[in-house]
Amino acid sequence: MKTVILWFRRDLRLADNPALRAAVEEAERVIPVYLHAPEEEAQWAPGGASCWWLHASLQALSQDLAAKQSRLIIRRGQSSLSLLRELIDETGAEGVYWNRLYEPLIVERDRSVKAALREQGVNAKSFRAHLLREPWEMRTGKGEPYRVFTPFWRTLAKQGDPPQPLRQPPTLRPPGQWPSRQTVAELGLLLRPRWDRKLHDLWQPGEAGAALALDHFLDGAMAVYKDGRDLPAESDTARLSPHLHFGEISPHQAWHRARARMAGQARLSEGGEAWLRQLAWREFAHHVLFEFPHSSDEPLYERWAGFPWREGYQPLLRAWQRGETGFPIVDAGMRELWATGYMHNRVRMIAASLLVKNIRAPWQEGARWFWDTLVDADLANNSMGWQWSAGSGADAAPYFRIFNPWTQSKRFDPQGRYIRRWVPELAELPDRDIHTPQASAPAILAAAGIQLGRDYPEPIIDYKTSREEALAAARAIRQS
Ligand SMILES: Cc1cc2nc3c(=O)[nH]c(=O)nc-3n(C[C@H](O)[C@H](O)[C@H](O)COP(=O)(O)OP(=O)(O)OC[C@H]3O[C@@H](n4cnc5c(N)ncnc54)[C@H](O)[C@@H]3O)c2cc1C
């Protein structure tokens, strides 16, 4: 083939990119393109924080391609197929190659793009790059999709290590004449007002940033990951999720780099194995969303559709979003999210539990807020996390498990360091009181300069009563 269009999507990297590798091997010239048609993803078009990340990641990819004497052709439109057809007309390309994604609307779009291109005689080919295994390859003994993580993980682990990652191609041969392109700025991804400015200091989107984040983790926190991963005040997780979401690093690279680091180092193996298991949660989430495409919007198990959400929950939802619930660990998490586009996993679970079990706001409200504010917003992982918290999804937590935010806080942030970082108005409280200011003696509050209701809210909901109500509602659903 003379010319192939390499369609970048959420695989914004040059290394371990099977579609790119095949294009370079099979074509004389490669035209890298990024097509922005968010309307095709309907309600799940990238949210605000994701758009910031995408902007920076496309800039990084453009620079990486320029270093290989190539170019990223960016086009904005309503339909990927129309944009591809225009490019095919302009360049005479005979093939279009891409790496597969697994979200329901994207799967549907890609199927029709592939069929339409093939019908017009274009060699349309897709590759696996985003997951270690194809979702349809993972089956229970009965030949069914998995709904529970542990057997999924057992099967994945039994299959052994995934294939070794591919190297970056040394060069990308350019076409004689480049088609026109839009700039990244013209995609209008940055928010107005610029809520996202602060994110620049915290993250480095792009392939180089992903490699640095992984190195940093492997050299440091992986050794203590097994226990450290639950402590929000520490930096003991990899913070790789946005990089994995945008495909700036592949799960194969992450897997093999961790394995290589663990080899012969017994002290690393416990943390390393625990981390590989978390990568498998990402696989599981994608498997579930692929097999049960309704699960991003509706409960996986239909009976949960009748759960009695609280009437008039909106003011409580707003307090939760602003980090003003009066539950310090939850407020710390919600403020971390607003300030950084990220929230520690343990706190995501506690904050989600308060929203769906105590406030009894629909889990979709929480998922939507996370979608807009997380830099790692990922339809599969986010839907899984929320449905798990609500008890309506795959591998659901037992319906009677409702996270107690105070005991969780004392257990996982014993000195209140995380709370002090994000809820500074409580910083002067002693360790013992910082988790439960509403239970502190007036003299202790006064000594810390706090008047509840003025400087920090009383809990917006009665924990005990709301817990009982949620349990009763869940019991009724289970019996129905
Ligand atoms: C309510 C809720 C919503 C969530 N929404 C998202 C989301 O939108 N996007 C997202 O990537 N993760 C989501 N998670 C999962 C998890 O919180 C993040 O993946 C994790 O905090 C990312 O930080 P890390 O890269 O430091 O993780 P590490 O602990 O270093 O883990 C390494 C990688 O494994 C994967 N991983 C880890 N835990 C999970 C998990 N529970 N489910 C799926 N994959 C996992 C991620 O890709 C992560 O980058 C959600 C969890 C909950 C409870």
Side-chain angles (χ1 to χ4, degrees), residues 310-332:
R310 184 184 302 275
E311 274 182 39
Y313 62 79
Q314 287 79 2
L316 299 176
L317 170 68
R318 271 192 292 282
W320 178 84
Q321 290 169 337
R322 292 193 187 123
E324 292 172 359
T325 65
F327 294 87
I329 189 79
V330 173
D331 293 339

Side-chain angles (χ1 to χ4, degrees), residues 13-35:
R13 63 177 182 272
L14 302 183
D16 198 32
N17 188 323
L20 174 62
R21 170 55 67 109
V24 167
E25 284 177 359
E26 295 169 23
E28 287 172 26
R29 296 178 284 269
V30 178
I31 304 182
V33 309
Y34 182 82
L35 310 175

